[in-house]
Amino acid sequence: MAQGCLKCLKVTMCVANFLCFMCGVAVLSFGVYMMVNFKFAALTPTLASFNLANMLLISGIVITCVSFLGFLGALKENRCLLLTFFLLLFFLMLVELTVACLLLVYEREVGSHPSVRLTVCCVNIRNTTHYLKCCGVNNVTDWGDNNVPSSCCEKCDITPQKYWEKGCLLTLKNLFEENFLTTGISVIVLCIVEVLGMCFAMTLFCHISRSGLGYKL
């Protein structure tokens, strides 16, 4: 009976981590696609690296690496890999909860902080379509006279060109507020998945330790 439960737990971990690995590959691929097909313009050159494509790349790499550790640890019944997988999940969950709590507690301060306001980027798509329909942090004047990207252009075929009136800071705030419930539910579901992954990993780790196995390659 115990061996059957162990085998079932092992298969469950392998399947779940394989699915997470595929999701990580999808996120990573989407990040590469955005980096190749989209151009991101920042109000300051030093903040140009903080864009959606780079965040997707980092997220995809983290997901694929952690899920691969869990899959290989469960498949090979390796205690070292399982323990590393457990610690990484625990660390990621702590980071997610800390960031979520800080954003909730210091929401106004974060929104008004200069460094955060400067990170609001305008997406410059090759076909000049701007899905957020915004320009600059507050408005088009944030870009100056000669640095306005084409993504700020609402009507580029007229003279003088007409730019989007809304700033991206207000647009992003409204977008976040509209999707606040969905974001909260997603974070909760993610934490539950991580807790289940930690429980499975630790259960399998303890079971392997009692059986005297765990370091075969």
Side-chain angles (χ1 to χ4, degrees), residues 8-65:
C8 180
L9 183 61
K10 176 180 175 180
V11 172
T12 302
M13 272 200 68
C14 288
V15 173
N17 280 288
F18 178 75
L19 293 176
C20 290
F21 179 82
M22 296 305 297
C23 291
V25 171
V27 172
L28 183 61
S29 302
F30 187 61
V32 173
Y33 170 79
M34 290 193 67
M35 184 170 287
V36 172
N37 292 278
F38 292 74
K39 293 180 180 178
F40 293 85
L43 294 179
T44 57
T46 55
L47 296 173
S49 59
F50 293 93
N51 56 53
L52 183 59
N54 287 342
M55 288 189 288
L56 287 175
L57 283 174
I58 295 172
S59 300
I61 292 172
V62 171
I63 293 172
T64 50
C65 290

Side-chain angles (χ1 to χ4, degrees), residues 12-217:
T12 302
M13 272 200 68
C14 288
V15 173
N17 280 288
F18 178 75
L19 293 176
C20 290
F21 179 82
M22 296 305 297
C23 291
V25 171
V27 172
L28 183 61
S29 302
F30 187 61
V32 173
Y33 170 79
M34 290 193 67
M35 184 170 287
V36 172
N37 292 278
F38 292 74
K39 293 180 180 178
F40 293 85
L43 294 179
T44 57
T46 55
L47 296 173
S49 59
F50 293 93
N51 56 53
L52 183 59
N54 287 342
M55 288 189 288
L56 287 175
L57 283 174
I58 295 172
S59 300
I61 292 172
V62 171
I63 293 172
T64 50
C65 290
V66 173
S67 57
F68 180 75
L69 277 177
F71 174 81
L72 191 62
L75 183 66
K76 296 294 185 179
E77 298 183 4
N78 189 298
R79 287 184 297 173
C80 183
L81 292 177
L82 287 172
L83 185 59
T84 304
F85 174 71
F86 174 87
L87 293 175
L88 285 175
L89 281 184
F90 182 72
F91 175 75
L92 288 175
M93 189 177 68
L94 284 182
V95 171
E96 291 162 7
L97 292 176
T98 302
V99 171
C101 291
L102 289 176
L103 287 176
L104 289 175
V105 174
Y106 299 103
E107 180 182 359
R108 291 186 179 180
E109 289 82 352
V110 170
S112 60
H113 198 276
S115 63
V116 176
R117 294 167 66 85
L118 286 174
T119 58
V120 178
C121 297
C122 293
V123 183
N124 182 19
I125 307 175
R126 287 180 178 176
N127 61 4
T128 69
T129 300
H130 197 314
Y131 295 108
L132 291 178
K133 298 180 179 180
C134 63
C135 184
V137 176
N138 298 305
N139 50 52
V140 66
T141 58
D142 294 323
W143 290 103
D145 297 330
N146 301 318
N147 298 320
V148 182
S150 59
S151 58
C152 281
C153 186
E154 181 181 359
K155 294 182 179 179
C156 299
D157 54 347
I158 63 174
T159 304
Q161 295 180 342
K162 184 178 180 182
Y163 299 108
W164 299 110
E165 296 180 358
K166 287 185 178 180
C168 291
L169 181 63
L170 179 61
T171 303
L172 290 175
K173 277 187 176 180
N174 294 335
L175 184 65
F176 177 77
E177 290 174 358
E178 291 172 1
N179 297 277
F180 182 79
L181 181 60
T182 304
T183 304
I185 293 174
S186 301
V187 172
I188 293 173
V189 170
L190 181 60
C191 289
I192 292 174
V193 171
E194 288 173 343
V195 169
L196 289 175
M198 288 190 294
C199 292
F200 287 171
M202 188 51 62
T203 302
L204 190 58
F205 175 86
C206 295
H207 220 90
I208 293 171
S209 297
R210 285 196 298 265
S211 64
L213 302 174
Y215 289 102
K216 58 183 181 181
L217 297 176

